[in-house]
C-alpha cells in the first residue's frame, strides 16, 4: 500500500507550528485516496498548524512519533466538504459556546465541522500513532473556535488508536450513526471551559472502546440514543436514527471532573419506532469508572415515556459512585445490578424492544411479527433451541406470569430461569395450536434477576408464539382474578382477568 509523508514533495508541509499546513495535508490525503488508498504520515516530531481536515475512505492517518496536529485560530483556515467527493470550500466557523439562545446547549461544535472529519459514507479508515491532537483555546469561552477534534457521521469500519487528544473544548470524539468502530489506547485530558466530553457514541453499532485513559470535564464515555435533536447541522443529524447496539466498553480508566464517567443519554422517545432508538447488547467490564449515571429526561420534548434498554452487562468493574438516575432506568436483562421489575412491551406493540432472544443456526429463529396482531415467535426448532424472554428483578413472593401462547403442536414451554446461572426454576408446557391464555404461578428461591418467556422445551420441530405477557404478584396484594397493585397502601393498578388490560385507577 502507498505510504507518503506530508513533508515530502510534492506536498511540502512545513511542520513548524506556524505555517498553515492544511492544504498540504489535505493534498496528501486526496492523492493517496486517488490511487486506491494507503497511509498518510504526519512526520515525526513536527507540529502541523492547520484548520479542518477531511479524511477519506481507505486512508490511514498516521501520527509519527512526537508529531502534533495544532488547531489553527484563524477562521480563514477552515473548509467544509461539498457533496461531490474530493471537493471543498471555505467556510467561517462560529465562535462561542452558545450559538442559539432558543436551543439549550447549542454549542459551537455541533455546527462547526470537526477538526478531523469523516463525512457520510466514509469507510475503512484509521487514525493512529504516537502523536497528539492539540486544540487551541482562548481565555474567553465566547472567543473559542469550538471544533470537535474528531467527528464521524455514518462512517463504518474505522479505528482511532494510540493518539492523545488534549486542550480540547468540546466532545473529544463524536461519532454519529456509525458502525464497526474501534477506540483503543487513547489518552484524553486537559479540557477547557467545561463541556469537555470524551467519546460520544450517538446511535452507533458494533463498537469497542478499550484501553483508554480519559479524564474529561463532562461525561467521559457515553451511549447516546437520539432522535430529532434540534441542534442538528450541516454535518450531522439524528432525524433517522438507528439502535445503539453491540457495544463493548472494557479495560478503560474513565474519570469526569463535573459529570458522569460512563453514561447513557436516553433522548429518543419522540421516535415513532422505538426499535430505532433502543439501546441493546452492551457489555461494560474490567474498567475503573469514577461515576456511573444516566440522562433520562430529554430537554427538547414534553413527552414522558420509558426508553427501551435491553441486555446490559456490568462485570468486574471498579465503580466509585453510582447516581440514583441509573437505578431509575428501566433495563430488561440487566446483569450486575437489578433489572427492571415489570414486563414492558408485553404485547409487542413496539417491536422487539425489552425482549431478548437466543437464536439457533437460523437467523430468523426468534423475533416478532408486526401487524393488526402483534406477537413474538421462536421458529425452526429442528435446528436447535431458541428463546424469547425478558429479564426482570423478581422478589421472593408468590408471582404469576400470564401470557397468551400457541405452538405448531409440539411441547414448547413458558419458563423462568436464573439470569446469572441459567438454572431452570420452573416451567409449564404447552402444545395448543390456537391462542390460549396460560398462567405460570411460581415462587423464586430468592429475590434476584430472572429471565421469563418461551423456549423450545421438548419440541423437535416447528415454532411457538407469545403475546399479551404480564407479570402479576411483584407487588403487595392480589384479590382472586382481579389482581391489584398496591403502593404504600394506595391502589395503583388493577389487572383485569378477562381482557388482560391494565387499568389505571390512581397515580400520584
Amino acid at each position: 500500500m502507498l505510504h507518503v509523508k506530508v513533508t515530502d514533495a510534492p506536498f511540502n508541509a512545513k511542520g513548524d507550528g506556524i505555517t498553515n499546513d492544511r492544504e498540504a495535508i489535505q493534498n496528501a490525503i486526496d492523492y493517496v485516496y486517488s490511487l486506491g488508498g494507503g497511509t498518510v504520515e504526519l512526520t515525526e516530531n513536527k507540529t502541523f498548524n492547520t484548520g479542518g481536515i477531511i479524511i477519506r475512505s481507505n486512508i490511514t492517518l498516521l501520527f509519527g512519533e512526537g508529531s502534533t496536529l495544532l488547531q489553527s485560530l484563524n477562521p480563514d483556515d477552515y473548509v467544509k466538504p461539498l457533496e461531490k467527493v474530493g471537493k471543498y470550500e471555505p467556510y467561517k466557523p462560529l465562535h462561542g459556546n452558545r450559538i442559539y439562545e432558543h436551543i439549550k446547549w447549542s454549542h459551537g461544535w455541533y455546527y462547526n465541522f470537526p477538526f478531523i472529519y469523516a463525512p457520510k459514507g466514509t469507510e475503512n479508515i484509521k487514525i493512529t500513532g504516537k502523536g497528539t491532537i492539540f486544540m487551541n483555546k482562548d481565555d474567553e469561552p465566547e472567543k473559542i473556535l469550538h471544533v470537535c477534534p474528531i467527528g464521524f457521521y455514518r462512517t463504518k469500519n474505522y479505528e482511532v488508536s494510540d493518539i492523545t487528544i488534549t486542550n480540547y473544548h468540546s466532545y473529544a470524539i463524536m461519532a454519529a450513526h456509525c458502525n464497526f468502530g474501534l477506540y483503543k489506547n487513547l489518552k484524553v485530558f486537559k479540557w477547557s471551559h467545561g463541556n469537555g466530553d470524551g467519546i460520544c457514541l450517538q446511535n452507533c453499532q458494533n463498537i469497542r472502546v478499550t484501553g483508554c485513559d480519559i479524564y474529561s470535564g463532562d461525561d467521559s464515555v457515553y451511549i447516546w440514543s437520539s432522535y430529532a435533536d434540534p441542534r442538528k447541522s450541516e454535518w450531522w443529524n439524528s432525524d433517522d436514527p438507528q439502535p445503539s447496539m453491540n457495544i463493548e466498553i472494557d479495560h478503560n480508566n474513565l474519570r469526569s471532573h463535573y459529570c458522569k464517567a460512563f453514561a447513557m443519554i436516553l433522548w429518543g422517545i419522540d421516535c415513532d419506532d422505538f426499535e430505532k432508538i433502543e439501546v441493546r447488547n452492551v457489555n461494560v467490564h474490567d474498567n475503573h469508572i469514577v461515576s456511573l449515571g444516566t440522562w433520562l429526561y430529554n430537554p427538547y420534548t414534553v413527552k414522558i415515556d420509558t426508553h427501551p434498554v435491553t441486555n446490559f452487562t456490568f462485570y468486574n468493574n471498579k465503580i466509585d459512585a453510582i447516581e440514583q438516575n441509573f437505578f431509575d432506568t428501566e433495563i430488561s436483562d440487566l446483569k450486575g445490578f437489578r433489572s427492571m421489575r415489570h414486563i414492558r412491551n408485553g404485547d409487542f406493540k413496539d417491536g422487539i424492544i425489552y425482549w431478548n432472544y437466543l437464536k439457533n443456526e437460523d437467523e430468523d429463529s426468534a423475533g416478532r411479527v408486526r401487524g393488526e396482531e402483534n406477537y413474538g415467535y421462536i421458529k425452526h426448532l429442528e435446528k436447535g433451541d431458541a428463546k424469547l424472554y425478558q429479564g426482570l428483578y423478581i422478589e421472593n413472593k408468590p408471582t404469576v406470569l400470564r401470557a397468551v401462547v400457541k405452538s405448531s403442536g409440539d411441547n414448547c414451554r413458558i419458563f423462568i430461569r436464573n439470569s446469572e446461572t441459567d438454572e431452570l426454576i420452573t416451567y409449564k408446557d404447552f402444545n395448543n395450536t390456537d391462542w390460549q391464555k396460560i398462567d405460570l404461578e411460581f415462587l423464586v428461591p430468592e429475590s434476584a434477576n430472572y429471565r421469563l418467556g418461551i423456549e423450545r422445551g421438548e419440541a423437535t420441530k416447528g415454532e411457538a408464539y407469545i403475546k399479551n405477557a404480564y407479570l402479576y404478584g411483584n407487588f403487595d396484594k392480589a384479590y382472586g382474578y382481579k389482581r391489584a397493585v398496591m403502593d404504600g397502601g394506595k391502589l395503583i393498578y388493577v389487572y383485569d382477568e378477562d381482557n388482560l388490560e391494565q387499568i389505571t385507577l390512581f397515580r400520584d
Side-chain angles (χ1 to χ4, degrees):
M1 293 289 287
L2 187 61
H3 186 136
V4 304
K5 290 188 176 183
V6 298
T7 50
D8 291 345
F11 317 112
N12 301 319
K14 298 298 183 184
D16 57 13
I18 300 173
T19 305
N20 174 19
D21 285 321
R22 190 209 65 79
E23 188 173 355
I25 296 170
Q26 191 66 62
N27 286 342
I29 290 172
D30 293 344
Y31 172 75
V32 173
Y33 170 80
S34 71
L35 296 178
T39 298
V40 174
E41 182 178 348
L42 302 173
T43 309
E44 63 275 9
N45 299 317
K46 295 283 188 179
T47 296
F48 300 94
N49 182 38
T50 178
I53 294 167
I54 314 299
I55 195 166
R56 305 178 68 181
S57 295
N58 306 311
I59 294 294
T60 293
L61 182 61
L62 174 64
F63 283 71
E65 187 166 0
S67 65
T68 298
L69 269 186
L70 175 66
Q71 181 197 3
S72 172
L73 286 175
N74 184 351
D76 294 332
D77 292 345
Y78 289 82
V79 299
K80 65 179 182 180
L82 301 178
E83 278 194 27
K84 187 175 181 180
V85 175
K87 298 297 182 181
Y88 321 99
E89 70 177 15
Y91 83 103
K92 292 291 185 181
L94 302 172
H95 287 77
N97 192 43
R98 180 79 172 267
I99 303 302
Y100 300 109
E101 288 300 320
H102 66 287
I103 301 178
K104 188 174 185 178
W105 297 326
S106 55
H107 305 302
W109 65 82
Y110 292 118
Y111 308 97
N112 294 329
F113 285 82
F115 193 45
I116 301 176
Y117 175 47
K120 179 180 179 180
T122 307
E123 59 185 20
N124 305 322
I125 61 172
K126 183 183 292 187
I127 301 170
T128 188
K130 302 296 184 181
T132 299
I133 296 176
F134 191 97
M135 306 301 288
N136 255 320
K137 69 175 183 179
D138 193 288
D139 290 335
E140 298 181 46
E142 296 308 316
K143 292 184 177 180
I144 294 177
L145 279 174
H146 283 269
V147 175
C148 184
I150 297 175
F152 300 142
Y153 181 59
R154 298 191 182 275
T155 299
K156 67 178 181 180
N157 299 325
Y158 65 91
E159 175 183 320
V160 185
S161 57
D162 298 321
I163 64 172
T164 295
I165 300 174
T166 188
N167 216 53
Y168 67 106
H169 34 69
S170 64
Y171 301 161
I173 301 175
M174 181 175 176
H177 299 73
C178 292
N179 285 276
F180 299 102
L182 173 65
Y183 304 87
K184 182 179 179 181
N185 299 336
L186 302 176
K187 187 172 183 180
V188 179
F189 68 100
K190 198 177 179 183
W191 69 96
S192 64
H193 301 297
N195 302 121
D197 297 55
I199 299 175
C200 161
L201 303 173
Q202 183 202 73
N203 300 339
C204 290
Q205 299 182 354
N206 306 299
I207 303 293
R208 185 181 182 194
V209 180
T210 182
C212 297
D213 185 6
I214 301 177
Y215 185 20
S216 62
D218 212 295
D219 301 325
S220 183
V221 172
Y222 56 97
I223 298 167
W224 178 11
S225 177
S226 176
Y227 173 69
D229 191 300
R231 297 170 293 179
K232 62 186 178 182
S233 67
E234 281 190 83
W235 76 270
W236 74 278
N237 70 75
S238 60
D239 292 348
D240 184 18
Q242 65 178 8
S244 303
M245 59 188 296
N246 306 331
I247 297 172
E248 183 176 14
I249 312 292
D250 68 282
H251 297 91
N252 302 288
N253 183 25
L254 305 180
R255 296 162 290 164
S256 172
H257 187 74
Y258 297 112
C259 216
K260 307 169 192 4
F262 176 74
M264 287 186 292
I265 300 178
L266 304 177
W267 290 356
I269 59 173
D270 283 319
C271 185
D272 291 335
D273 185 352
F274 269 25
E275 287 185 320
K276 286 187 174 183
I277 51 91
E278 183 181 25
V279 177
R280 176 182 287 270
N281 303 341
V282 178
N283 188 7
V284 181
H285 65 94
D286 297 288
N287 302 283
H288 177 205
I289 300 172
V290 168
S291 56
L292 169 67
T294 306
W295 295 97
L296 288 173
Y297 303 109
N298 184 345
Y300 308 115
T301 184
V302 296
K303 188 175 181 181
I304 303 296
D305 206 340
T306 300
H307 190 291
V309 182
T310 307
N311 190 19
F312 211 119
T313 300
F314 285 87
Y315 174 74
N316 200 34
N317 299 290
K318 178 184 176 184
I319 303 176
D320 295 351
I322 305 177
E323 298 178 7
Q324 179 60 42
N325 46 56
F326 176 79
F327 297 110
D328 294 338
T329 309
E330 298 281 359
I331 304 177
S332 173
D333 209 25
L334 173 62
K335 292 171 282 294
F337 301 99
R338 292 182 179 181
S339 296
M340 64 188 193
R341 292 170 59 89
H342 302 288
I343 289 177
R344 305 286 181 182
N345 192 35
D347 57 5
F348 294 93
K349 174 184 173 183
D350 290 318
I352 204 70
I353 64 169
Y354 292 118
W355 290 91
N356 211 345
Y357 45 76
L358 170 70
K359 297 184 178 183
N360 56 39
E361 61 185 68
D362 193 298
E363 180 60 29
D364 189 39
S365 60
R368 57 87 65 167
V369 171
R370 184 199 298 264
E372 291 185 8
E373 184 178 51
N374 303 298
Y375 54 85
Y377 65 80
I378 54 175
K379 292 182 177 180
H380 311 294
L381 301 181
E382 67 279 0
K383 296 184 179 181
D385 194 12
K387 304 178 193 290
L388 189 64
Y389 57 87
Q390 290 197 18
L392 306 181
Y393 177 77
I394 301 176
E395 294 182 336
N396 174 233
K397 59 175 65 175
T399 309
V400 179
L401 169 61
R402 172 174 295 166
V404 176
V405 297
K406 67 178 181 178
S407 78
S408 54
D410 277 20
N411 269 351
C412 296
R413 67 168 60 135
I414 189 168
F415 72 89
I416 311 294
R417 289 182 177 272
N418 183 288
S419 292
E420 297 294 331
T421 66
D422 203 39
E423 175 189 0
L424 183 62
I425 304 302
T426 188
Y427 68 94
K428 183 177 284 189
D429 289 329
F430 63 91
N431 57 18
N432 45 287
T433 56
D434 294 322
W435 289 113
Q436 179 179 313
K437 181 171 58 184
I438 187 170
D439 282 353
L440 176 59
E441 299 184 12
F442 63 95
L443 177 68
V444 295
E446 62 178 342
S447 298
N449 289 338
Y450 294 89
R451 292 171 172 173
L452 45 89
I454 58 171
E455 61 184 8
R456 178 177 67 168
E458 297 178 355
T460 58
K461 64 182 184 303
E463 59 269 346
Y465 304 89
I466 182 172
K467 64 180 181 178
N468 295 347
Y470 294 93
L471 186 69
Y472 304 140
N474 228 9
F475 42 71
D476 294 340
K477 295 181 180 179
Y479 301 97
Y481 290 101
K482 297 284 188 180
R483 301 187 179 275
V485 179
M486 308 295 291
D487 183 5
K490 295 180 180 179
L491 188 62
I492 306 298
Y493 297 122
V494 167
Y495 292 92
D496 190 288
E497 160 76 9
D498 297 321
N499 59 25
L500 296 173
E501 290 292 328
Q502 176 178 291
I503 307 169
T504 302
L505 298 186
F506 179 91
R507 178 176 288 168
D508 286 329

